[in-house]
């Protein structure tokens, strides 16, 4: 099938490889064109989508029946009736993993071979764009991983001759890949080619040392040592060959002893955890006892993992495999006392007979007897479900070479372990494989999608997945989609995840009830966090405690495996844990109310503190200088860490009835978001709250939010839409008698009138705004008025008056410490000096403006300043510096909105390249600039003059 131009194919690729996911137009532009978008910008996307629908959809298909659906400003590929190669590839890989885990290595090799046959040359060959390139690399790595999985099983089957040639070829293509080198060495050794295997190690080591300055890693060194000592267990996965004793090698006589194997049954369908198993199965210290600890949240599969590891290693421990369940977190059962556990262990090794005193409670004596009994033994001991290190320490054997595997929901810091694993839920493919093993393979695409959705709703937690699987087995009439719908309701999800004594909620409840009261209270409110991640400031606000106390409580919850530390200083709850936390919190309505009030107030304070609008901008609600933020930079950094979830915070505040907080937050975020070019988020936040303002106690909100919308539209150059919103805001504020809101609306109308080429109207509006604000004695309004009146003087050619206004505004901005408005005024002053031919003065002012704009994170302003500074440098004869500044400006503005600014920068860069005879690049820059200008002219009713354009960059009242 002809799918059209390669860029159109690349767009289809970007949708196909993210099935069921909405991809925005901006993401498609970034993924298909990268840093050099088409001249028509995002307008090319609907054209390509239309052409793809004509080729792919059935004749007469409705829009809702299309394979490519339009969804919330983007597009989504609907995989319901389509089988893609990648989906089939993953299914085969899951089948291969399942076959391997069940012991059917032949079937696993066959499945992996079928998967590899689906690759035909380089993945996505000829498809352009950053997304395709990233996917090409990912698929190549995935192919390599499939090869390695296949070869591993072939070696375990003794089919080493089949893989040597393939491994040699791959090793030449990937000369620094140590995993491939290790597999090749094992295959060569299995074919009695020990010298060749050692030669591979020598060659790889030389490459690593000479080309990368590193030595081979532990895994490759272990294979090298195994080849030297002919360790068949490590090399081909079999028990060592026994050799008959000779006269020169007398056989040591070892006393016969009853060997016990107390390990629980290995569960069926064990999936994934290859890395974690590799850590647990690693070499042990032959001269001491090796301790390895596994911690993680309830239901994550800790016991299954260590039992699987212990069973895989039991041949290495001739004196047995023992299991001790400490019941540290069992609902309805008392934790096991160390004395009782020690007595049972002593019986297991034959040192505590039936006639011995079963009531002995001397812990020290029992521990000493245990150490004496195990001094000559080499065994593996699994200590399951410990609640503290003190439970484990008396149970440690002392026989050299013994291994102890410990599981706990806590990170047992008091236990000396050579390896620690904090077990996370399964990844999505592993979770799907586990659920598929339990309920049987789905037979249709909708069923496969439902299995994946079930895995997501179970938070990829093995306990939840097994409970769902058991329920599906006992009720075969239940459709997969129906079960997914039942779990989608947070109110009932935990109730659905229970079956015959196994309950996700019960497992969480034990962890929760063992917490001290302070940690319990903290855990309850964490489920109310308006963002997925949170930090100590948010928790302190919800609990009404100090940030240091909040951090201590959070770290305690991390130790208890109820909270996950995402990155340093930021935390999160797993989805099911968050559902449980909200469920527990529902019984404490006063705590819920206080927590929500505290956290929403924190966001309002942060937004206002980060704003450059001045102290009188927010006369109602919390003051902008309220703790915990020392200054605007600290508040901005805190908002930066929240990222794209800020609009979600506004939405949640509105949804739970905190309309005043939602409105104040949307208003406070206006300056912060627009200076970063995030106009869509600014508008979305205001539009969420605007229909609810009749419920707000703060009567400023109807006017204030309309002003925010006007500013966001005006900064994008949509002057007519800005005028309508600001005029509405002005009318409402006049009716309510709100002088400050009138001043802000008038000031914004004046600024955008000037930007639209109407200086006379702008002067009237700005004068009226200043008159209203004069009574407030607000330096910020005065500073804004001077800067904008200066811009009008500049525009009509009264340069001396403009300079006077700019200088007065700069003095005020420096005195009250407002770096953003200072940067804007210096930008205008530099532009004025350019127009007057005073290039050194222009460069000086613009250099200062650029540094300040970068510091405050005002991306549109920063890009505009760099563009003007480049012009100043070019006028001074610094051509190379000018070109570098133009490029930095274009990089800074990136794909953010602002066609006018990008067109201007491309145009100037084009002239520079033309002057330096880079004519091909120059023509491309000019064409893009012209396309941007045409696109903009079609969407504006009145174009702005050049000087007004410079004056309005990043501006608001």
């Amino acid at each position: 099938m002809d799918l059209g131009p390669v860029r159109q194919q690349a767009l289809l690729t970007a949708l196909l490889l993210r099935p069921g996911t909405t991809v925005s137009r901006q993401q498609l532009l970034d993924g298909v064109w990268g840093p050099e978008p088409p001249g028509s910008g995002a307008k090319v996307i609907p054209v390509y989508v239309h052409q793809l629908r004509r080729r792919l959809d059935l004749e007469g298909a409705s829009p809702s029946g299309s394979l490519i659906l339009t969804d919330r400003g983007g597009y989504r590929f609907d995989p319901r009736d389509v089988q893609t190669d990648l989906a089939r590839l993953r299914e085969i890989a899951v089948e291969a993993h399942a076959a391997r885990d069940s012991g059917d290595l032949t079937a696993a090799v066959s499945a992996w071979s079928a998967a590899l046959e689906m690759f035909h040359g380089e993945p996505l060959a000829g498809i352009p764009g950053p997304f395709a390139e990233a996917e090409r690399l990912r698929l190549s790595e995935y192919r390599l991983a499939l090869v390695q999985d296949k070869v591993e099983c072939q070696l375990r089957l003794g089919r080493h001759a089949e893989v040597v040639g393939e491994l040699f070829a791959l090793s030449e293509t990937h000369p620094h890949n140590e995993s491939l080198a290790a597999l090749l060495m094992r295959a060569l050794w299995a074919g009695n080619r020990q010298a060749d295997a050692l030669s591979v190690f020598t060659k790889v080591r030389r490459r690593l040392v000479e080309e990368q300055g590193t030595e081979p890693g532990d895994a490759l060194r272990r294979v090298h040592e195994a080849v030297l000592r002919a360790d068949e267990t490590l090399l081909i996965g079999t028990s060592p060959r026994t050799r008959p004793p000779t006269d020169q090698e007398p056989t040591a006589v070892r006393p016969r002893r009853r060997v016990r194997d107390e390990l629980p049954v290995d569960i069926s369908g064990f999936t994934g955890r290859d890395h974690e198993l590799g850590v647990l199965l690693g070499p042990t210290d032959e001269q001491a006892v090796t301790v390895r600890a596994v911690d993680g949240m309830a239901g994550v599969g800790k016991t299954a993992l260590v039992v699987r590891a212990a069973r895989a290693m039991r041949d290495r421990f001739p004196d047995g495999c023992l299991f001790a369940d400490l019941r540290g977190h069992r609902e309805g059962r008392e934790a096991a006392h160390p004395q009782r556990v020690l007595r049972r262990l002593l019986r297991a090794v034959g040192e505590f007979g039936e006639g011995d005193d079963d009531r002995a409670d001397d812990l020290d004596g029992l521990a000493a007897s245990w150490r004496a009994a195990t001094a000559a033994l080499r065994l593996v001991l699994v200590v399951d479900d410990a609640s503290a290190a003190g439970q484990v320490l008396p149970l440690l054997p002392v026989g050299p070479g013994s291994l102890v595997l410990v599981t706990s929901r806590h990170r047992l810091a008091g236990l000396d372990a050579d390896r620690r694993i904090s077990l996370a839920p399964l990844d999505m493919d592993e979770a799907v494989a586990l659920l598929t093993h339990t309920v049987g393979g789905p037979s249709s695409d909708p069923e496969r999608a439902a299995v994946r959705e079930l895995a997501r709703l179970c938070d990829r937690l093995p306990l939840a997945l097994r409970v769902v699987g058991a329920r599906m087995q006992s009720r075969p009439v239940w459709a997969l989609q129906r079960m997914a719908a039942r779990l989608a309701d947070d109110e009932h999800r935990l109730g659905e995840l229970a079956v015959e004594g196994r309950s996700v909620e019960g497992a969480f409840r034990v962890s929760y009830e063992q917490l001290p009261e302070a940690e319990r209270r903290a855990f309850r409110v964490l489920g109310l966090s308006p963002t997925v991640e949170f930090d100590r400031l948010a928790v302190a606000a919800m609990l009404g405690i100090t940030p240091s106390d909040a951090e201590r409580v959070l770290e305690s919850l991390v130790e208890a495996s109820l909270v996950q530390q995402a990155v340093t200083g930021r935390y999160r709850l797993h989805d099911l844990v968050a559902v449980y936390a909200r469920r527990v919190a529902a019984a404490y309505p006063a705590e819920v109310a206080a927590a929500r009030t505290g956290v929403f107030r924190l966001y309002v304070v942060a937004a206002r503190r980060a704003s450059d609008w001045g102290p009188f901008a927010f006369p109602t609600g919390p003051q902008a200088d309220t703790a915990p933020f020392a200054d605007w930079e600290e508040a901005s950094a805190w908002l930066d860490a929240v990222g794209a979830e800020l609009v979600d915070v506004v939405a949640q505040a509105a949804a739970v009835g905190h309309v005043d907080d939602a409105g104040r937050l949307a208003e406070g975020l206006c300056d912060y978001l627009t200076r970063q070019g995030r106009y869509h988020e600014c508008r979305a936040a205001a539009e969420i709250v605007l229909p609810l303002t009749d419920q707000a106690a703060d009567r400023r909100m109807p006017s204030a939010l309309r002003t925010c919308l006007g500013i966001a539209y005006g900064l994008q150059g949509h002057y007519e839409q800005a005028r309508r919103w600001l005029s509405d805001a002005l009318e409402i504020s006049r009716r309510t008698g709100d002088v400050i809101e009138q001043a802000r609306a008038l000031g914004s109308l004046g600024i955008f009138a000037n930007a639209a080429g109407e200086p006379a109207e702008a002067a009237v509006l700005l004068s009226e705004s200043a008159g209203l604000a004069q009574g407030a004695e607000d330096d910020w309004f005065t500073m804004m008025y001077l800067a904008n009146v200066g811009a009008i003087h500049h525009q009509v050619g009264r340069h001396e008056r403009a300079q006077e206004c700019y200088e007065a505004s700069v003095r005020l901005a420096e005195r009250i410490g407002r770096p953003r408005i200072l940067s804007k005024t210096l930008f205008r002053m530099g532009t004025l000096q350019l127009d007057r031919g005073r290039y050194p003065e222009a460069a000086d002012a613009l250099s200062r403006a650029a540094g300040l704009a970068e510091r405050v994170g005002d991306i549109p302003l920063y890009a505009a300043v760099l563009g003007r500074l480049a012009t100043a440098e070019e006028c001074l004869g610094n051509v190379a510096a000018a070109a570098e500044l133009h490029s930095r400006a274009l990089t800074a503005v990136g794909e953010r909105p602002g066609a006018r600014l990008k067109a201007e920068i491309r145009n100037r860069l084009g002239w520079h390249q033309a002057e330096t005879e880079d004519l091909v690049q120059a023509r491309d820059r000019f064409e893009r600039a012209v396309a941007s200008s045409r696109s903009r002219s079609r969407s504006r009713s009145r174009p702005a003059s050049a000087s007004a354009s410079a004056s309005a960059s990043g501006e608001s009242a």
Side-chain angles (χ1 to χ4, degrees):
M1 176 186 295
D2 178 17
L3 294 174
V6 291
R7 295 286 182 183
Q8 187 167 296
Q9 296 176 39
L11 187 144
L12 177 60
T13 300
L15 294 171
L16 279 174
L17 295 185
R18 291 182 278 205
T21 300
T22 299
V23 186
S24 71
R25 294 185 182 183
Q26 191 60 54
Q27 288 175 309
L28 291 171
L29 274 177
D30 292 341
V32 175
W33 283 274
E36 297 294 338
S40 57
K43 293 187 177 181
V44 73
I45 303 297
V47 176
Y48 279 0
V49 169
H50 175 71
Q51 293 173 358
L52 287 169
R53 285 169 172 163
R54 290 180 57 191
R55 288 172 165 83
L56 298 175
D57 290 346
L58 296 174
E59 187 173 349
S62 65
S64 61
S66 175
L67 292 176
I68 302 177
L69 302 175
T70 302
D71 187 11
R72 292 175 296 168
Y75 300 93
R76 172 166 52 89
F77 172 69
D78 188 350
R80 60 190 170 206
D81 298 319
V82 177
Q83 175 70 56
T84 63
D85 287 346
L86 184 58
R88 180 57 186 151
L89 177 67
R90 287 172 174 162
E91 290 172 7
I92 298 175
V94 167
E95 294 169 5
H97 281 287
R100 180 199 61 189
D101 292 341
S102 67
D104 191 350
L105 301 185
T106 301
V109 170
S110 177
W112 270 313
S113 298
L116 289 165
E117 287 174 2
M118 297 184 69
F119 287 89
H120 303 286
E122 182 185 48
L124 305 177
I127 302 297
F131 178 85
E133 179 60 26
E135 288 298 300
R136 193 159 28 247
L137 292 173
R138 186 180 68 81
L139 289 170
S140 297
E141 288 298 318
Y142 187 54
R143 178 183 187 179
L144 193 60
L146 293 177
V147 170
Q148 293 179 80
D149 286 336
K150 176 180 74 75
V151 168
E152 181 69 42
C153 287
Q154 287 173 299
L155 289 176
R156 289 167 62 185
L157 287 167
R159 293 158 57 176
H160 51 272
E162 299 175 6
V163 303
V164 170
E166 182 179 20
L167 289 173
F168 264 123
L170 287 171
S171 297
E172 289 301 313
T173 308
H174 305 277
H176 303 106
N177 189 308
E178 297 184 38
S179 297
L180 286 174
L183 288 169
L184 178 56
M185 290 174 66
R186 292 168 58 190
L188 290 169
W189 185 88
N192 294 318
R193 297 169 63 180
Q194 184 183 32
D196 289 340
L198 295 174
S199 176
V200 169
F201 178 85
T202 302
K203 187 176 181 181
V204 171
R205 182 182 181 277
R206 184 170 59 250
R207 281 175 175 164
L208 291 172
V209 171
E210 293 176 357
E211 298 173 19
Q212 298 187 348
T214 61
E215 288 285 342
D218 291 341
L220 186 57
R221 287 203 304 272
R222 284 198 296 271
V223 171
H224 178 242
E225 292 166 4
V227 170
L228 291 173
R229 65 174 185 266
D231 184 349
E232 290 186 23
T233 302
L234 191 149
L235 293 170
I236 57 177
T238 62
S239 299
R241 299 186 183 96
T242 56
R243 294 184 298 162
T246 65
D247 293 338
Q248 291 74 27
E249 296 182 273
T251 303
V253 178
R254 182 183 180 91
R256 295 181 60 83
R257 141 184 324 272
R258 182 183 59 167
V259 177
R260 291 181 64 109
D261 184 350
E262 298 182 343
L263 296 177
V265 174
D266 201 3
I267 61 172
S268 173
F270 184 91
T271 304
R273 307 300 195 196
D274 292 340
H275 171 72
E276 291 84 356
L277 277 171
V279 172
L280 296 180
L281 295 175
T284 57
D285 190 336
E286 299 293 324
Q287 306 302 318
V289 176
T290 299
V291 178
R292 287 171 183 161
V294 178
D295 61 75
M297 63 188 291
V300 79
K302 302 180 292 295
T303 304
L305 173 66
V306 297
V307 168
R308 171 60 61 101
R311 286 196 169 277
M313 293 187 289
R314 54 187 170 185
D315 289 344
R316 290 158 52 180
F317 299 93
D319 295 309
C321 302
L322 305 182
F323 185 88
D325 183 0
L326 301 188
R327 302 197 301 269
H329 304 88
R330 297 293 173 86
E331 191 171 25
R333 296 191 67 183
E334 183 183 2
H337 294 292
Q339 294 93 326
R340 184 173 182 179
V341 176
L342 281 169
R343 288 196 296 268
R344 196 191 63 72
L345 290 175
L346 284 166
R347 289 195 193 94
V349 297
E351 297 294 336
F352 207 86
E354 294 295 331
D356 291 329
D357 184 1
D358 204 29
R359 295 167 296 176
D361 286 326
D362 180 6
L363 178 60
D364 291 339
L366 288 169
S369 298
W370 172 244
R371 290 193 295 271
T374 58
L377 302 182
R378 180 186 172 105
L379 51 82
V380 58
L381 170 64
V382 174
V383 181
D384 190 40
D385 196 21
S387 60
Q391 277 189 300
V392 181
L393 294 175
L395 310 181
L396 297 179
V398 297
S402 291
L403 172 67
V404 181
L405 302 176
V406 184
T407 74
S408 177
R409 296 186 191 180
H410 296 268
R411 296 178 180 175
L412 304 178
L415 186 67
D416 291 329
D418 80 321
R419 297 285 187 276
R420 292 183 187 274
I421 296 172
S422 291
L423 205 59
L426 299 167
D427 67 32
M428 182 55 75
D429 288 340
E430 292 168 346
V432 168
L434 175 56
L435 196 53
T436 299
H437 173 84
T438 308
V439 303
S443 59
S444 66
D445 286 340
E447 288 184 342
R448 279 186 281 271
V451 167
R452 198 168 189 86
E453 179 65 5
L454 280 172
R456 185 189 69 78
L457 291 168
C458 289
D459 204 15
R460 300 167 285 113
L461 194 67
L463 173 61
L465 293 165
R466 291 187 179 280
V467 168
V468 165
R471 295 195 67 188
M472 295 295 294
Q473 288 173 334
S474 63
R475 294 173 174 84
V477 296
W478 279 9
L480 290 164
Q481 294 95 326
R482 183 181 175 190
M483 175 60 88
R486 294 171 72 94
L487 289 181
D489 182 0
D490 274 2
E491 292 294 323
H492 302 97
R493 190 187 309 185
L494 291 176
E496 297 290 337
L497 296 176
V499 60
E500 291 189 5
R502 284 195 297 177
S503 164
V504 172
E505 183 175 6
F508 292 162
R509 185 186 303 114
V510 174
S511 292
Y512 167 73
E513 291 178 346
Q514 291 184 354
L515 294 172
E517 180 52 37
E519 279 77 358
R520 286 195 203 182
R521 179 172 172 245
F523 175 75
R524 291 194 292 268
V525 303
L526 292 183
L528 307 173
S529 170
T531 56
V532 174
E533 293 183 3
F534 41 83
D535 69 348
R536 66 179 198 153
L537 294 186
V539 176
M542 287 192 285
L543 291 172
I545 59 178
T546 66
S548 58
D549 285 343
E551 185 173 27
R552 180 190 59 77
V553 170
L554 282 167
E555 289 298 326
S556 178
L557 291 171
V558 169
E559 291 295 322
S561 296
L562 285 169
V563 170
Q564 177 188 16
Q565 190 166 31
V567 295
T568 302
R570 295 195 66 78
Y571 306 82
R572 61 172 296 160
L573 296 177
H574 286 288
D575 289 351
L576 287 176
V577 177
V579 172
Y580 177 70
R582 289 192 291 271
R583 187 163 183 169
V584 177
Y588 300 84
E591 285 185 2
V592 171
R596 283 177 170 157
T597 298
V599 75
F600 292 141
R601 182 183 182 279
L602 175 69
Y603 275 92
V604 172
V605 169
R608 291 181 167 186
R609 188 68 160 144
S611 175
D612 196 51
W613 281 5
F616 289 91
F618 310 106
T620 55
Q623 294 301 305
D625 58 355
T626 307
F629 304 105
D631 52 33
W632 67 268
E633 286 183 291
E634 196 172 294
S636 295
W638 190 79
L639 293 173
D640 290 343
V642 178
E645 291 187 87
L646 287 171
V647 177
D648 295 335
V649 178
V650 175
Q652 187 174 141
V656 297
H658 285 248
V659 179
D660 286 293
D661 289 325
R664 290 165 181 165
L665 178 55
E667 178 195 25
L669 288 172
C670 179
D671 179 69
Y672 168 81
L673 292 173
T674 56
R675 72 177 180 237
Q676 297 183 34
R678 296 160 65 180
Y679 307 114
H680 175 73
E681 291 176 66
C682 178
R683 296 200 308 268
E687 288 166 354
I688 287 169
V689 191
L690 199 57
L692 306 174
T693 51
D694 59 335
Q695 304 172 28
D698 191 339
R699 300 317 303 160
R700 292 178 49 253
M701 286 302 107
S703 174
L705 294 176
R706 285 171 169 83
T707 297
C708 291
L709 285 167
I711 290 171
Y713 279 112
L715 291 177
Q716 289 185 276
H718 301 296
Y719 299 129
E720 286 302 320
Q721 289 165 289
R723 187 192 301 272
R724 286 196 294 271
W725 282 112
L726 292 168
S727 297
D728 287 349
L730 179 59
E731 181 182 349
I732 293 171
S733 60
R734 280 174 172 164
R735 286 202 307 266
T736 60
D738 191 325
V739 175
I740 294 296
E741 287 304 316
Q742 290 179 59
R744 181 177 295 117
L746 283 165
S748 297
L749 281 166
I751 289 168
F752 297 129
N754 188 41
E758 300 170 350
E761 180 182 353
V764 172
L765 291 165
L766 288 167
S767 178
E768 187 177 353
S769 171
L772 286 170
Q774 189 173 9
E777 298 181 355
D778 187 346
D779 286 341
W780 188 87
F781 262 115
T782 304
M783 183 173 51
M784 287 294 300
Y785 173 74
L786 287 168
N788 285 286
V789 168
I792 294 173
H793 286 309
H794 179 187
Q795 189 172 349
V796 298
R798 294 196 288 267
H799 292 167
E800 290 296 336
R801 294 292 305 278
Q803 182 71 13
E804 291 172 3
C805 290
Y806 289 156
E807 288 175 351
S809 180
V810 164
R811 285 193 297 271
L812 265 177
E814 290 175 335
R815 180 167 63 81
I816 65 176
R818 291 286 170 177
R820 186 172 176 234
I821 186 59
L822 178 58
S823 175
K824 294 174 184 176
T825 308
L826 287 168
F827 171 44
R828 289 168 165 172
M829 187 182 293
T831 302
L832 173 64
Q833 301 293 18
L834 274 178
D835 291 347
R836 301 175 75 178
R838 298 177 178 178
Y839 305 127
E841 292 87 346
D844 178 65
L846 291 166
S847 294
R848 290 181 62 197
L852 290 165
E854 184 176 26
R855 176 186 166 198
V856 300
D858 192 325
I859 295 171
L861 177 61
Y862 179 57
V865 174
L866 288 179
R868 294 290 172 175
L869 181 56
T871 301
E873 292 291 350
E874 193 169 349
C875 292
L876 289 168
N878 302 324
V879 179
E884 193 268 337
L885 287 165
H886 280 311
S887 296
R888 281 171 56 194
L890 197 56
T891 301
V893 75
E895 297 308 315
R896 296 179 181 274
R900 179 182 68 235
L901 182 56
K902 282 185 281 189
E904 180 181 342
I905 295 170
R906 286 196 178 109
N907 184 51
R908 291 179 179 275
L909 189 54
W911 279 116
H912 168 76
Q913 289 165 336
E915 290 175 0
T916 56
E917 298 186 0
D918 190 352
L919 300 181
V920 174
Q921 287 280 13
R923 183 181 65 183
D924 180 65
R925 298 290 183 188
F926 284 137
E927 288 176 349
R928 291 179 182 276
V930 169
S932 294
S933 297
R934 287 175 176 169
S935 174
R936 180 177 174 271
S937 67
R938 286 193 294 269
S939 62
R940 310 287 194 275
S941 61
R942 284 176 291 186
S945 65
S947 60
S949 169
S951 297
S953 295
E955 192 56 90
S956 64

